[in-house]
Amino acid sequence: MNPGETAPFLDGLNEPQKQAVLQTEGPVMIVAGAGSGKTRVLTYRIAYMIHKGVDPFNILALTFTNKAAREMRIRIEKAVGTEARNIWMGTFHSVFAKILRIEADKLGYPSNFTIYDTDDSKSLIKTIVKEMKLDEKVYKPAYVLNRISAAKNSLITYKMYESNDDLTAHDAVSSRPFIHKIYSTYAKRCFMAGAMDFDDLLIKTYELFTKFPDALNKYQHKFRYIMVDEYQDTNHCQYMIIKKLAAVNENICVVGDDAQSIYSFRGATIRNILNFEKDYPDLKVFKLEQNYRSTQTIVDAAGGIIAKNKDQIEKKVWTQNDLGEKIRIIRAVTDNEEATLIAQSIFEEKMKNQLHNKDFAILYRTNAQSRSLEESLRKHNIPYRIYGGLSFYHRKEIKDLIAYLRLTVNHKDEEALKRIINYPARGIGKTSLERVQLLAADQGISWWEILTAAELFDDLRSASGKLKDFVVMIKSFATMLQKSDAYELAMHIAKSTGILKTLHEDKTVEGMNRYENVVELLNGIKEFVEDDTSELEKTLPTYLQDIALLTDADKDDDNNDKVSLMTIHSAKGLEFAHVYMPGMEENLFPSQMSLGNRQDLEEERRLFYVGMTRAEKKLTLAFAHSRFRFGQLLPCEPSRFISELNEEFVAMDPKSSNQTSLRGRRIDSGTPERIKSGGSTSRFGRSNSPTKPAPLPPVIKDFTPEDTSSIKQSDVVEHQRFGKGIVQLVDGEGLNRKATIDFESFGTKQLVLRFAKLRFIQ
């Protein structure tokens, strides 16, 4: 195929898709609505550039997952041949890790630096907190790591953090004034260990391009064409790097959907896509608005929901698909009943329509919701798979062997060393390890450097022989790095360390599972080595980088026929014939944490939109009138998002509970009630009489709750959802303190005060 020929793979594109593919020069933004064939456009756009004569080595394509990159590369290769293997394609983290390995010496890192996962980072933070003699209950590793991560994603180094009055004041108010010192120590310890965490892969790339103009110039001219997928989910650091890389050629194409921006908790900012035109005034915008995935009912209902958001790029998603069934609503008394009704529905749909388990997905707002759902699926003998649970690579036995592999590649990897220095047991006791830790801190050097000179320290003389044996073993593994591929070396390490033998001798069910898992890991390394379609080197360092950057979305599809259970965040980019969304209740979805401002609430609405648009043929929403949360059975109200659905698109499931625990009145599920909410109609509220529905007051905007510690009988209060009410009774103590309130529009309710969010009316 030469540039003068017509590209046959363009024939199947609709007109907006084709225009987006053909516009290869200059700044381009492709606004891709849900189910609009975005991946196809991305694939063919790159294939068309190569078809036109663009060197694949000059194309940088950044995707949301490595799995997406692999699938796209295969499709591009089918269109234009093996030249597709030369494209720089992958996630931000994987591509930037590749650049950092090439340029590591400029930043003072070894090229074989370790990539710390979240567990490694938390372990190091826990060690630092202990060394600083701080309260481990106050400085919880997860909280501290989130603060550090947020700072890095905003390009705030530990030195900048220390001098930032707003950040240090925030920490002081939260009774954690030493966060900046932990951040500083953490950064220095990672550097000493020759390690970067996930956020470092971004901030260190930015540092490289900022401090070393020659490196920036090199990659600006190398990457003449840049494409960024899921641009709405980029953070400030990613935005700044891309802006720098694209500054010379400005052949940058970003693809995304502002309506699916749902990762602000990771530092993503929707402003990157909303304000993209400000950076590139001559920007060309293409809108992919035809949905090929879902029924007309689902598309129109979802469109009505997202239209309520203010911050968005104007577009109208439509479809030529069948009208399809109405969105079903399951109403349950408890969360357990909700789970039972969902399991029954899946079973009946399977039998009635000859469907497979893999045609169904249950998408929830939080992982905690999976418990009752799992129990009900098991009772109905419906096999399922949970996404986002314990990853294969996070199992203890897997992390143990990988720690040996990491230490072989990078002797200064402190977290790997601590994990396996006495596993399998080799007589290096806890006391000796504590002495190593103290000496390393006192001398300002790594654990490895202490171990290699153990005989020089009086405190370690008794253990120096065993420590020396350990060092000699690891060094012997390292001598094989150049002459052995990843599988040969990993198998040698698994045998020589005694890991395989130790696990094989454990004949318990758990022990046999652990042994099989390690064998499976070794099989995976063999597959990595034998994969002829991959452009990656078959070395151990390359393998370790590959698995360090895996996410849950990168796992190979499970071929078994199972129902998928996952959070809506995890479902991004996926699609299923039948989707169930339980927990559609206020304070759960939308989350209680999102009710403080419009921006957070709009992100929750976008999350609901993402969940809805995962469904191809049928969507079912469910809510319960009471749910166990925080160890207590709490009353619940239907989510405002249900009220926002246009009633022409919805129908109550006939098997729903026909009771409501909140008003003590039976409801006929065959003729659901109708209520009005902010101009839109819904079928799921409770009326004051069978014939005349009570109006539902609109949700109060800009509502600021107040301290209710002084609340007492006869106080007049206001609730964001229930409106005005009079306090009838206050009882209970501490966290269990409750108020019974008679609301004008909703009658009497008992609210747990720590969750109630009330304000006083004078």
Side-chain angles (χ1 to χ4, degrees):
M1 188 184 295
N2 62 62
E5 294 177 341
T6 301
F9 50 78
L10 301 182
D11 296 342
L13 300 175
N14 64 35
E15 193 55 34
Q17 289 175 333
K18 184 178 290 187
Q19 290 176 8
V21 166
L22 297 178
Q23 183 63 51
T24 60
E25 306 299 311
V28 171
M29 179 165 70
I30 302 173
V31 182
S36 62
K38 175 194 67 173
T39 302
R40 195 179 196 191
V41 171
L42 272 169
T43 301
Y44 289 163
R45 192 173 191 273
I46 295 173
Y48 182 68
M49 285 193 285
I50 297 173
H51 167 68
K52 276 185 26 175
V54 174
D55 189 335
F57 284 101
N58 295 142
I59 299 173
L60 170 64
L62 296 166
T63 59
F64 194 62
T65 65
N66 288 306
K67 180 181 178 182
R70 287 193 297 270
E71 291 174 350
M72 283 178 59
R73 195 186 300 275
I74 291 170
R75 290 166 71 169
I76 295 169
E77 189 170 333
K78 287 181 179 178
V80 296
T82 56
E83 278 290 288
R85 299 182 185 182
N86 298 325
I87 303 165
W88 278 58
M89 181 184 291
T91 63
F92 275 90
H93 292 87
S94 63
V95 169
F96 293 168
K98 186 176 179 180
I99 292 173
L100 288 170
R101 294 211 184 274
I102 296 171
E103 312 292 344
D105 61 312
K106 291 184 173 65
L107 298 173
Y109 280 85
S111 61
N112 60 352
F113 62 81
T114 296
I115 299 174
Y116 276 178
D117 65 15
T118 302
D119 288 343
D120 294 320
S121 295
K122 288 180 180 178
S123 174
L124 178 53
I125 289 170
K126 187 175 181 179
T127 298
I128 294 169
V129 168
K130 190 174 182 179
E131 290 174 354
M132 293 176 65
K133 295 182 170 55
L134 298 173
D135 189 338
E136 296 178 36
K137 294 181 180 178
V138 174
Y139 292 91
K140 294 180 178 178
Y143 177 88
V144 176
L145 182 59
N146 284 339
R147 290 290 289 171
I148 293 173
S149 178
K152 288 181 179 180
N153 287 332
S154 298
L155 295 175
I156 299 172
T157 65
Y158 71 88
K159 291 181 180 178
M160 295 165 65
Y161 196 108
E162 290 172 336
S163 59
N164 188 305
D165 292 339
D166 290 339
L167 292 173
T168 53
H170 177 279
D171 292 336
V173 169
S174 66
S175 300
R176 299 179 181 92
F178 297 109
I179 293 282
H180 69 282
K181 289 189 175 180
I182 300 173
Y183 183 7
S184 172
T185 305
Y186 173 79
K188 293 171 183 175
R189 292 280 276 276
C190 284
F191 182 77
M192 185 185 297
M196 295 188 194
D197 63 21
F198 292 148
D199 298 313
D200 285 332
L201 296 176
L202 303 181
I203 197 170
K204 294 298 179 184
T205 302
Y206 178 79
E207 182 181 332
L208 173 72
F209 291 156
T210 302
K211 292 183 177 179
F212 301 94
D214 58 325
L216 175 60
N217 183 65
K218 171 183 172 181
Y219 291 100
Q220 283 175 331
H221 286 84
K222 178 177 181 60
F223 300 135
R224 291 177 50 220
Y225 295 86
I226 299 172
M227 294 184 65
V228 185
D229 190 14
E230 304 287 4
Y231 190 68
Q232 76 279 353
D233 292 324
T234 53
N235 60 37
H236 180 64
C237 184
Q238 292 166 323
Y239 160 78
M240 291 299 295
I241 294 171
I242 291 302
K243 189 176 180 182
K244 283 180 176 292
L245 283 173
V248 171
N249 297 295
E250 290 200 348
N251 291 326
I252 178 169
C253 172
V254 300
V255 186
D257 181 7
D258 56 292
Q260 298 184 64
S261 178
I262 58 173
Y263 291 109
S264 66
F265 67 95
R266 293 182 186 170
T269 170
I270 193 174
R271 294 294 158 194
N272 287 351
I273 193 167
L274 295 180
N275 298 335
F276 191 67
E277 191 168 4
K278 292 182 180 179
D279 289 330
Y280 303 97
D282 55 343
L283 178 72
K284 290 183 171 59
V285 179
F286 301 94
K287 296 180 181 180
L288 310 183
E289 298 171 303
Q290 183 175 357
N291 181 298
Y292 291 93
R293 175 188 299 153
S294 306
T295 64
Q296 287 185 32
T297 295
I298 293 171
V299 169
D300 292 344
I305 287 291
I306 204 64
K308 299 182 185 302
N309 275 6
K310 292 184 178 180
D311 288 338
Q312 60 179 292
I313 297 170
E314 184 180 347
K315 56 186 170 298
K316 175 63 177 176
V317 179
W318 58 279
T319 186
Q320 291 182 333
N321 293 342
D322 294 340
L323 180 64
E325 296 185 45
K326 289 190 175 185
I327 297 170
R328 306 292 282 182
I329 308 294
I330 291 177
R331 175 177 53 203
V333 174
T334 66
D335 51 342
N336 284 334
E337 185 188 51
E338 175 193 62
T340 299
L341 291 171
I342 288 174
Q344 288 175 350
S345 175
I346 291 174
F347 181 82
E348 290 167 4
E349 289 282 353
K350 279 173 55 185
M351 296 300 104
K352 183 172 66 175
N353 299 310
Q354 305 299 304
L355 300 172
H356 300 285
N357 292 312
K358 62 184 178 183
D359 294 324
F360 298 86
I362 305 176
L363 310 180
Y364 34 75
R365 180 63 182 82
T366 67
N367 278 311
Q369 291 171 251
S370 72
R371 180 197 56 80
S372 58
L373 293 162
E374 288 185 70
E375 290 177 1
S376 290
L377 291 172
R378 284 197 297 267
K379 289 176 182 175
H380 287 79
N381 294 316
I382 299 174
Y384 62 89
R385 174 186 177 185
I386 291 188
Y387 290 72
L390 182 63
S391 163
F392 176 78
Y393 292 98
H394 285 90
R395 299 179 188 277
K396 179 188 180 301
E397 61 275 15
I398 300 302
K399 288 181 74 71
D400 288 340
L401 179 52
I402 288 177
Y404 271 107
L405 307 185
R406 281 172 36 179
L407 192 61
T408 298
V409 171
N410 175 15
H411 297 338
K412 292 186 177 182
D413 185 340
E414 185 176 311
E415 292 306 308
L417 194 156
K418 285 192 294 187
R419 185 177 191 94
I420 46 83
I421 190 171
N422 196 41
Y423 176 78
R426 53 178 57 90
I428 301 175
K430 182 179 179 182
T431 301
S432 295
L433 295 180
E434 289 174 347
R435 288 172 180 168
V436 170
Q437 181 176 346
L438 288 171
L439 285 167
D442 184 57
Q443 301 289 322
I445 57 179
S446 68
W447 278 45
W448 180 259
E449 290 168 297
I450 295 292
L451 297 186
T452 57
E455 69 277 4
L456 301 180
F457 299 100
D458 292 339
D459 289 349
L460 296 178
R461 284 222 175 110
S462 62
S464 61
K466 292 170 182 174
L467 295 176
K468 184 178 180 180
D469 290 343
F470 177 76
V471 168
V472 170
M473 178 180 67
I474 299 299
K475 285 183 175 179
S476 72
F477 298 156
T479 62
M480 300 175 62
L481 280 169
Q482 301 303 320
K483 58 185 179 182
S484 303
D485 64 35
Y487 175 72
E488 292 169 344
L489 183 48
M491 179 59 80
H492 175 73
I493 291 172
K495 290 179 177 178
S496 300
T497 57
I499 285 183
L500 278 179
K501 182 175 182 291
T502 300
L503 293 176
H504 190 262
E505 289 174 348
D506 184 351
K507 298 304 181 183
T508 64
V509 174
E510 295 81 3
M512 288 187 286
N513 285 337
R514 286 192 287 268
Y515 175 78
E516 289 170 0
N517 285 337
V518 169
V519 171
E520 182 59 30
L521 175 67
L522 293 167
N523 290 340
I525 300 175
K526 190 172 183 65
E527 289 177 11
F528 169 82
V529 169
E530 295 177 349
D531 183 3
D532 293 332
T533 65
S534 172
E535 77 285 2
L536 297 176
E537 295 179 351
K538 308 307 181 184
T539 63
L540 187 58
T542 306
Y543 170 76
L544 289 174
Q545 175 177 310
D546 192 48
I547 63 166
L549 297 171
L550 283 177
T551 67
D552 221 42
D554 290 320
K555 293 178 183 177
D556 290 332
D557 291 333
D558 190 342
N559 292 324
N560 293 330
D561 186 25
K562 296 179 181 179
V563 173
S564 296
L565 272 67
M566 67 187 82
T567 64
I568 304 172
H569 283 100
S570 299
K572 180 86 176 298
L574 303 179
E575 55 188 43
F576 304 91
H578 293 247
V579 168
Y580 293 80
M581 295 173 62
M584 294 300 305
E585 297 138 24
E586 286 293 293
N587 297 324
L588 179 55
F589 198 11
S591 163
Q592 185 177 18
M593 302 293 291
S594 71
L595 302 180
N597 59 68
R598 181 169 61 82
Q599 289 76 18
D600 290 346
L601 181 58
E602 289 201 353
E603 175 148 335
E604 287 288 293
R605 189 176 285 112
R606 292 195 294 270
L607 187 61
F608 181 43
Y609 174 83
V610 167
M612 293 179 72
T613 54
R614 298 312 93 196
E616 297 172 348
K617 298 184 181 302
K618 188 169 181 179
L619 173 63
T620 301
L621 309 177
F623 69 89
H625 289 308
S626 60
R627 181 177 299 274
F628 266 100
R629 299 187 72 192
F630 313 107
Q632 298 182 49
L633 186 65
L634 300 176
C636 306
E637 285 292 320
S639 169
R640 70 188 67 195
F641 297 149
I642 291 183
S643 298
E644 291 175 356
L645 286 166
N646 190 318
E647 71 170 4
E648 71 177 282
F649 301 127
V650 297
M652 184 67 74
D653 190 285
K655 293 190 177 181
S656 287
S657 170
N658 59 2
Q659 292 195 44
T660 166
S661 61
L662 296 184
R663 295 300 299 269
R665 182 177 291 112
R666 297 184 68 83
I667 296 176
D668 181 0
S669 59
T671 55
E673 298 168 304
R674 299 168 184 259
I675 55 176
K676 293 189 179 292
S677 173
S680 59
T681 57
S682 172
R683 303 182 176 202
F684 317 107
R686 280 144 306 275
S687 63
N688 291 329
S689 70
T691 57
K692 186 178 180 181
L696 180 65
V699 175
I700 303 165
K701 305 298 181 183
D702 301 320
F703 183 91
T704 304
E706 298 176 359
D707 179 10
T708 56
S709 58
S710 63
I711 196 169
K712 61 186 184 300
Q713 187 176 355
S714 300
D715 279 345
V716 181
V717 295
E718 190 172 36
H719 185 277
Q720 187 177 21
R721 182 71 173 171
F722 305 144
K724 184 179 178 182
I726 299 175
V727 179
Q728 304 293 312
L729 177 68
V730 178
D731 62 358
E733 296 181 357
L735 297 178
N736 296 319
R737 199 158 177 255
K738 302 172 185 175
T740 303
I741 305 172
D742 184 16
F743 290 100
E744 289 181 351
S745 300
F746 283 87
T748 302
K749 297 187 179 300
Q750 188 179 72
L751 304 180
V752 179
L753 287 173
R754 61 177 165 139
F755 302 125
K757 291 198 172 183
L758 302 167
R759 66 183 179 191
F760 294 98
I761 299 178
Q762 302 299 330

